[in-house]
Amino acid sequence: MFTLVTRGLRHRWSLESCLCDSSPVTPQGLSNDHGQVVSLVVIVGKLLSVTVITPFRKLILCAENRKEMEDWIGAIKSVQKWDLNETTQFNMEHFSGMHNWYACSHARPTFCNVCREALSGVTSHGLSCEVCKFKAHKRCAVRATNNCKWTTLASVANDIIEDEDGVTMPHQWLEGNLPVSAKCAVCDKTCGSVRRLQDWRCLWCKAIVHSSCKEQLGKVCPLGACRVSIIPPTALNSIDSDGFWKATSPVSCASPLLVFVNSKSGDNQGVKFLRKFKQFLNPAQVFDLMNGGPQLGLRLFQKFSTFRILVCGGDGSVGWVLSEIDKLGLHKQCQLGVLPLGTGNDLARVLGWGSLCDDDAQLLQILEKLERATTKMLDRWSILTYESPKHSPPPTREDENGEARTQMQISQHADSVAFHLAKILESDKHCDVISSAK
């Protein structure tokens, strides 16, 4: 069987209660860079099976004997050596489930979600995940589980709800550190505490409940106010061999939203919008233009029949995304909206989105407006200019005589200028100098 040993994996063969040949297998050997994890080998009679969990799918590989199982392991170990084509080289930060920490301060008592003790200090006391708002001491961050906001079906893991209609989206709960005005969605009474970690908040629908009311709320998550724009993790269950998401949009999200944020726009104000969009939507829908450009997101969403795009930046960012849409030929599949950041927002003004948005607290209202927005056709022109060589007609006799007279006049003028300059420099009489200068 496979046994987990600290951070490494060891595989041992067990057949008819006999042990033999133990050898180490490193996480890199199991293509950890591509998010693959081999979880367990189960012995059923004389049949060996291994479960391979990736960020996109769960596979169960079976073998009747040791040689076949060694072939499976050899294939898994060789995955990291493959030269992946450009369509599959996406940023694994979107799908890893790891927290994205940043140091922050808190205006009220806040507690560590790892050790459950208070975060002490006045400024920058502790760390916060920019996506799920998981709190931790700096010393506790290394022990935090990788349970950030779900992105794909594989990240939901054992919390998946299956019924006769298929797979449905469950709530994803985070304990404690609730806002002051928090009310329970079941009993409508005050939730949270300033003395300890208490009560729960769903990362998707934003519902807040008491621990005692949690079971009464229901297991299926409605995804909240942004459900029309959110791609639930249960819908991102696999990627085709060519590196695109399979087009399995749920009914609630017939036209998913793809968000591009220029984190450098508005004097780096784009970072705040990047965090907010990841909190409201599926983090797999949100991309930083400064980290790989727009091609990654467009190619992952290329097989959706329709989808919407929101570009957060200036005219240059919008032009960049439109150029990539031109290259991929996605004009008939997507509509593009603009959230103006920084300077140079002429296109946003023309389309009615205003000249500047510097308040990330308005994002919910902006998403609602985007869902109700109408479309306008936009012509894009590519103008190429070049200078052709001039071909002058052969000169006539009159032209030659005129050119000779011109040259003679130029020569006479030059001689006159030289004569007067010499007179100014050499004469000691003021009247001569004044006369020549005139």
Side-chain angles (χ1 to χ4, degrees), residues 69-120:
M69 185 56 71
E70 285 179 341
D71 291 340
W72 278 124
I73 291 179
I76 295 172
K77 290 171 67 176
S78 66
V79 169
Q80 67 172 358
K81 301 176 183 178
W82 294 349
D83 293 326
L84 299 180
N85 59 41
E86 59 178 3
T87 60
T88 58
Q89 292 187 359
F90 43 80
N91 191 341
M92 288 307 301
E93 291 178 1
H94 284 83
F95 316 108
S96 64
M98 298 177 65
H99 295 290
N100 299 311
W101 301 112
Y102 71 99
C104 62
S105 304
H106 302 93
R108 61 192 299 263
T110 305
F111 299 87
C112 175
N113 286 98
V114 179
C115 68
R116 308 181 70 86
E117 296 180 2
L119 297 174
S120 59

Side-chain angles (χ1 to χ4, degrees), residues 298 309 318-332 334 378-382:
L298 290 173
I309 300 173
V318 178
W320 190 5
V321 175
L322 289 174
S323 296
E324 290 296 330
I325 292 175
D326 287 341
K327 292 178 182 177
L328 298 174
L330 301 178
H331 307 86
K332 297 181 180 179
C334 62
L378 177 67
D379 290 331
R380 297 189 72 230
W381 295 86
S382 178

Side-chain angles (χ1 to χ4, degrees), residues 1-12 22-32 36-41 50-53 73 76-77:
M1 63 176 66
F2 281 92
T3 56
L4 186 63
V5 181
T6 61
R7 295 187 178 227
L9 285 172
R10 289 181 174 273
H11 70 274
R12 291 180 298 173
S22 176
S23 60
V25 180
T26 64
Q28 288 78 15
L30 292 177
S31 191
N32 190 42
Q36 294 177 331
V37 178
V38 177
S39 60
L40 183 65
V41 171
V50 57
T51 302
V52 180
I53 301 176
I73 291 179
I76 295 172
K77 290 171 67 176

Side-chain angles (χ1 to χ4, degrees), residues 9-10 42 68 74 84 107 134 146-147 176 195 205 211 217-218 222 245 263 268 311 331 370 388 398 402 420 429:
L9 285 172
R10 289 181 174 273
V42 182
E68 289 186 9
L84 299 180
F134 190 99
N146 292 334
N147 58 349
R195 297 183 178 180
C205 66
S211 298
L217 184 63
W245 287 118
S263 58
N268 293 331
V311 180
H331 307 86
L370 189 67
S388 60
E398 293 180 358
H420 287 293
K429 295 180 180 181

Side-chain angles (χ1 to χ4, degrees), residues 5 35 49-50 61 82 100 109 122 126 155 178 196 207 223 228-229 235 272 296 314 330 349 358 395 403 418:
V5 181
S49 69
V50 57
L61 311 178
W82 294 349
N100 299 311
V122 179
S155 62
L178 303 178
R196 59 184 176 273
L223 297 177
V228 176
S229 299
K272 294 193 306 180
L296 171 62
L330 301 178
R349 282 193 290 268
D358 55 1
E403 185 176 351

